[in-house]
Amino acid sequence: MENIIELKNLSKDFKILNKKSGKFSVVKDLFSTDYTVERAVNQINLNIGKGEIVGFIGPNGAGKSTTIKMLTGVLVPTEGTVLVNGFIPYKHRVKYVKEIGVVMGQRSQLWWDLSVEDSFKVMKEMYELSDAEYAENMRIFEEELCISELFDKSVRHLSLGQKMLCEIVAVLLYNPKVIFLDEPTIGLDISVKTKIRKIIKRMNSQQGVTVILTTHDISDIEALCDRVVIIDHGTIIFDDSMNKMKQLVGSERKIIEITTKKVISDELTEKIKGMFTKEHLQINPASNKRMDIICDSGEVDINELLLQIMEYVGIEDINTVGVKIEDIVRQVYEGNLL
Ligand SMILES: Nc1ncnc2c1ncn2[C@@H]1O[C@H](COP(=O)(O)OP(=O)(O)OP(=O)(O)O)[C@@H](O)[C@H]1O
């Protein structure tokens, strides 16, 4: 497979000013050369093939946004090289923007005062799309998303989900070679999430668009990605198939956050741990009345587990969540996959 993205020894440092205190500190800071250098991305090597859908994940502060900003030409690398579809993003910005689509939570491509349809028409002109190309893509968006229902609405009156659908349509519309999606489904209900995933899949298989997806929602990754790259402290710690990550995470892995009535004793923790084998159950004390149980629901009898906890310390509150990125990262470090 031909590469569309090539990163070689890519690094980015940020200089952080050590602020002075006391009299005239603001003026002193203006002329200060007293900086600490923080390395946000450290010697990344990564090749991504044309048409891949890659999940790019990591805990907060891991270096995802910094990498994406170098890939999209917003930041200049401190060291190393970045090449996307033959372009050096920060050097060839004018030509390069037509090659890529970027959907970031905070940034909008759309015009708040225009209707949805007019916004799309502006995009068509800006990206010099032919009438035929525009019509063909609109046909697909209509088939998958019934997008015409939103045409007359003004962008400022769209719901969060409708707005995200339109943002994604706005970038897919001009047939970019690569799209970068940052948390595209955050805060959205399952029906909108499903639509977003469907349109990304379809444009990937039909138009061959390469997709780089950054998210904290593992179900997005599971639904869309064949490959997962995990970054932590600026370094790539995992780059493998979705199947390999599933082995790591467990196919039916759940996190149960429990707040107990009484303090959780070490004795209780040990007792519960002893009920199941180590690889199917992990208990992380979050405080003396909170514990997170990470278990494989196919292997662990959750009813039995909860009954034991209820009997010993009572249950005040319970919350079940999907696996967190931090948990996956820990599994990588614990060597469960290496
Ligand atoms: N403009 C900046 N100036 C100084 N430090 C920065 C800047 N941008 C990012 N950093 C630092 O670089 C590191 C990586 O940040 P980055 O935003 O890339 O992480 P992230 O993986 O995208 O995190 P999140 O999931 O929280 O968005 C962090 O330690 C962050 O504080």
Side-chain angles (χ1 to χ4, degrees), residues 124 127-135:
K124 171 183 178 287
Y127 288 90
E128 298 167 337
L129 239 77
S130 70
D131 290 348
E133 284 171 314
Y134 182 78

Side-chain angles (χ1 to χ4, degrees), residues 14-16 38-41 58-67 69 183 214 216 231:
F14 288 112
K15 275 166 118 189
I16 299 159
E38 183 173 341
R39 178 146 282 205
V41 170
N60 290 330
K64 302 178 295 291
S65 305
T66 307
T67 308
K69 283 177 188 164
E183 302 282 2
T214 310
H216 281 85
I231 182 169

Side-chain angles (χ1 to χ4, degrees), residues 67-85:
T67 308
I68 300 292
K69 283 177 188 164
M70 289 191 277
L71 279 162
T72 51
V74 175
L75 285 176
V76 180
T78 309
E79 282 170 18
T81 56
V82 47
L83 209 59
V84 185
N85 204 30

Side-chain angles (χ1 to χ4, degrees), residues 243-260:
N243 282 343
K244 197 79 188 267
M245 198 187 88
K246 272 191 177 156
Q247 284 170 22
L248 174 78
V249 175
S251 54
E252 295 176 83
R253 224 163 159 84
K254 292 219 167 7
I255 300 181
I256 311 169
E257 298 172 338
I258 299 175
T259 309
T260 56

Side-chain angles (χ1 to χ4, degrees), residues 109-122:
Q109 326 266 332
L110 305 165
W111 286 265
W112 283 76
D113 295 318
L114 294 187
S115 70
V116 167
E117 188 175 26
D118 286 344
S119 283
F120 293 157
K121 284 187 174 158
V122 174

